[in-house]
């Protein structure tokens, strides 16, 4: 976790967690992307922030926004870290499930009329 002063301010700027990079290697990550950890041993090559992400995901899946909240890091920083972990094969990222399309009201009314006619 990123060190903080007693006032809650970060001792180290958040962008340093990414090695100074501001853009993730993949453009498919969203705040609602579901992250799932891969059962791999955590080696010494994993940076502390990445290690914390992997630890958070051991019990189950979380969204990218939830991981950012747990780490007290901006979503943009966590996107970079997560992209690196996905590229390394340590995480799976699933796109958010799209909102269901709205039903056609006319079709629903026809179905309801048909059900009513069967009832009588």
């Amino acid at each position: 976790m990123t060190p903080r002063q007693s006032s809650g301010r970060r001792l180290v700027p958040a962008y340093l967690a990414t090695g100074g990079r501001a853009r993730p290697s993949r453009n498919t990550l969203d705040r609602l992307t579901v992250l799932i950890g891969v059962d791999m041993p955590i080696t010494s090559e994993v940076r502390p922030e990445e290690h914390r992400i992997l630890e958070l995901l051991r019990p189950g899946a979380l969204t990218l926004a939830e991981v950012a909240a747990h780490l007290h890091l901006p979503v943009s920083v966590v996107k970079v870290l997560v992209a690196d972990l996905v590229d390394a094969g340590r995480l799976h990222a699933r796109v958010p499930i799209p909102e269901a399309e709205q039903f056609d009201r006319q079709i629903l009314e026809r179905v309801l009329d048909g059900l009513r006619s069967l009832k009588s």
Side-chain angles (χ1 to χ4, degrees):
M1 197 162 204
T2 305
R4 293 179 174 265
Q5 293 176 339
S6 59
S7 66
R9 234 180 55 191
R10 232 180 274 292
L11 292 174
V12 177
Y15 66 85
L16 289 181
T18 65
R21 291 176 298 129
R23 298 196 190 280
S25 61
R26 51 188 64 234
N27 210 15
T28 58
L29 298 173
D30 181 76
R31 290 173 180 253
L32 298 179
T33 298
V34 178
L35 306 174
I36 304 155
V38 175
D39 192 23
M40 287 177 73
I42 299 174
T43 61
S44 61
E45 65 196 32
V46 176
R47 295 183 300 225
E49 293 81 7
E50 294 173 337
H51 187 278
R52 181 73 178 119
I53 291 170
L54 296 172
E55 288 292 321
L56 281 171
L57 294 172
R58 280 195 189 224
L62 291 172
T63 64
L64 194 139
E66 290 171 319
V67 170
H70 281 288
L71 294 178
H72 304 288
L73 288 171
V75 171
S76 59
V77 170
V78 175
K79 279 184 183 181
V80 174
L81 296 171
V82 165
D84 290 347
L85 289 169
V86 171
D87 291 343
R90 295 185 174 279
L91 281 184
H92 292 296
R94 189 186 77 208
V95 295
I97 298 170
E99 290 185 28
E101 293 181 19
Q102 293 188 359
F103 295 105
D104 184 0
R105 184 175 177 90
Q106 290 178 342
I107 291 176
L108 290 176
E109 287 175 0
R110 287 183 197 166
V111 170
L112 185 56
D113 290 341
L115 291 172
R116 286 183 182 145
S117 68
L118 289 175
K119 187 176 177 183
S120 52

